[in-house]
Amino acid sequence: MTKTDFTLEFVTLHERAHVELGHFSILAGVPTFNLVSKSGQSQIQEPNLPRELWDKVERCLELQADHEALEEILGNMDAVDWTKLRAIIYSITSVMVAIEKIDSQNPNPSETHPKAATRVFQLLGHVNDMWSVAASLSGSALPKREIIQAFSEAVILPTYFDAIELAKSTNATSFLDDLGDPEVFFADIMNAKLGHWRQLKTVGAREWADLKNANEQILPLVYKYQAENSTSM
Ligand SMILES: [Zn+2]
């Protein structure tokens, strides 16, 4: 598969997640779920949602859709070729950066997408956890620390620097600033994992934590939708 194929696959999975998670019913107001460009204000249908969350709902749903798509496309660290994995991650990052660029050219900047750095923070946070998922599934003979080290050197670190290179080559300066320097970025990944949200320093990590809190209150709407729409076989 080429990088374009990975890009299309990610976008397709992301859009499918919006449908499957009932995001259309949670948000009314079109065009809400156009991945690339959005305009207009959404009408929130759910009166139970506190007003202060309203401007975060769409961004939370974007991270939810990203998360579902990431789980599917990235898969298991043992089951996928690491070079291919790096190409997949690069493709996803390029989509996120492209969307931010398009959004920034919108004369009516909306709050519908999380920052690219926030989405990449979630992406690399997920990649950073792939070894633990794989380790629990495989019972591999290699010492765990060696696997983690190898995976970190072959995938996790290079993908961060791939994102930096992408940002530089496309003049995505806000993304570059929001992502942060490598030491700070990876400290944030670790602090997020440990729940030390007050110690987060990068713009992306901070938006991620802010939306994660909001998302706790939005998730019941997803569960409600799924309960109402589950079909008995
Ligand atoms: Zn979306």
Side-chain angles (χ1 to χ4, degrees), residues 47-67:
N48 295 334
L49 216 51
R51 179 66 185 86
E52 69 268 19
L53 290 182
W54 288 8
D55 72 334
K56 296 177 185 171
V57 174
E58 291 189 48
R59 286 180 289 152
C60 286
L61 301 186
E62 289 306 321
L63 288 187
Q64 285 182 18
D66 276 357
H67 185 267

Side-chain angles (χ1 to χ4, degrees), residues 188 197-198 200-211:
D188 275 359
W197 293 359
R198 284 185 191 167
L200 299 176
K201 292 192 173 66
T202 62
V203 173
R206 285 181 170 173
E207 187 185 36
W208 174 85
D210 185 35
L211 295 179

